[in-house]
Amino acid sequence: MSSIDPLIAEIKNLLTVGTVSYSGASAASDVYEGFIFSLIVATASRHGAAVTYEDVYGAKATNLVFRTGPGQLYGTSQPFTHAVIEFAGAPALEVHLGVCVQGTSGVLHECDVLVLPAEEAAISRAQKIAPRGSRCTLIVECKYYVSSMPIGLARNFEGLRADIRTQNELFVSNTGSPSIVRYLDARHREYEREVVPHSPQSGYLQGEVRKVFKSYLSKHAPSTVI
């Protein structure tokens, strides 16, 4: 069995769809991003949101095609899939993998997993521009390592969040690193390590995602309880 087979199996279990584009030959880092995407989507569904899937053209999708490299949200090289999340009374959100957003400096940054208002995504597709990072709801940096993680990953994350200035950012990894923990904790950044299928940490991450959705609803649909 490939080391990524449990990740793929959990993605299928969480998303309850026809097929996903990952296979045993996929890069573990790509599949890990898909796993975190799945945890976010499953969290929304568990707390009452309606979840559907669309391709870049807006067509409904049951067989999901995920990015395995950075790209533009509006890119049409393949019918890449995103999730649409709709909580009662609130504007829809979209969840994307591997798309770029524009920082306050004007520089583009790749986001491993991105949650943003559907309205901002629609502007991106219509005008063929990257979404504004400051308008995004959640950005998740995902790291999958079979060895110790270098401290540079945390420094890069700090630079990313400083320029994007979105509402919420999370650093998530499959393994731990004491130096990264100390670095991010000193800066009061959210970090969940050892997030793998069926781990307690997966539940902790979903708890953090719920807080993000709860905050979003407090602004847009305060009567909706999750």
Side-chain angles (χ1 to χ4, degrees):
M1 176 184 290
S2 167
S3 62
I4 64 172
D5 285 346
L7 288 171
I8 296 174
E10 186 64 356
I11 290 169
K12 293 177 179 178
N13 176 57
L14 290 169
L15 299 183
T16 62
V17 293
T19 64
V20 297
S21 57
Y22 299 125
S23 71
S26 299
S29 58
D30 293 330
V31 180
Y32 190 69
E33 292 173 9
F35 168 59
I36 302 305
F37 171 102
S38 303
L39 286 173
I40 292 171
V41 170
T43 301
S45 180
R46 178 182 303 167
H47 292 288
V51 176
T52 55
Y53 303 94
E54 295 179 352
D55 64 21
V56 68
Y57 303 105
K60 300 298 182 184
T62 54
N63 298 316
L64 309 188
V65 179
F66 291 136
R67 295 181 187 276
T68 56
Q72 296 290 355
L73 184 149
Y74 55 81
T76 58
S77 60
Q78 294 188 52
F80 293 115
T81 308
H82 60 269
V84 180
I85 292 173
E86 296 178 278
F87 285 101
L93 296 166
E94 292 186 7
V95 190
H96 290 260
L97 279 170
V99 298
C100 296
V101 301
Q102 182 173 293
T104 57
S105 67
V107 172
L108 295 183
H109 301 274
E110 181 195 356
C111 298
D112 294 334
V113 185
L114 174 67
V115 182
L116 77 167
E119 180 183 17
E120 184 71 14
I123 292 171
S124 173
R125 286 187 286 267
Q127 300 184 12
K128 296 192 177 349
I129 57 174
R132 292 163 288 185
S134 60
R135 299 296 181 92
C136 296
T137 305
L138 173 65
I139 289 173
V140 185
E141 186 82 352
C142 307
K143 297 302 175 188
Y144 186 96
Y145 271 68
V146 295
S147 57
S148 60
M149 296 188 298
I151 188 64
L153 297 175
R155 294 190 180 113
N156 290 342
F157 175 67
E158 183 65 11
L160 170 74
R161 65 159 307 280
D163 192 35
I164 291 179
R165 297 182 187 175
T166 191
Q167 299 167 38
N168 300 281
E169 310 90 4
L170 286 169
F171 187 101
V172 179
S173 66
N174 69 310
T175 187
S177 168
S179 60
I180 287 180
V181 170
R182 288 194 297 269
Y183 182 92
L184 294 177
D185 184 66
R187 289 157 180 80
H188 307 290
R189 307 303 174 222
E190 295 295 336
Y191 173 38
E192 287 293 343
R193 57 179 172 174
E194 299 180 31
V195 179
V196 295
H198 312 300
S199 67
Q201 289 76 13
S202 291
Y204 303 154
L205 174 60
Q206 288 186 297
E208 292 300 319
V209 172
R210 175 184 172 272
K211 289 180 184 177
V212 172
F213 288 142
K214 186 177 179 181
S215 176
Y216 179 77
L217 290 172
S218 73
K219 298 179 179 67
H220 299 281
S223 62
T224 299
V225 178
I226 66 169

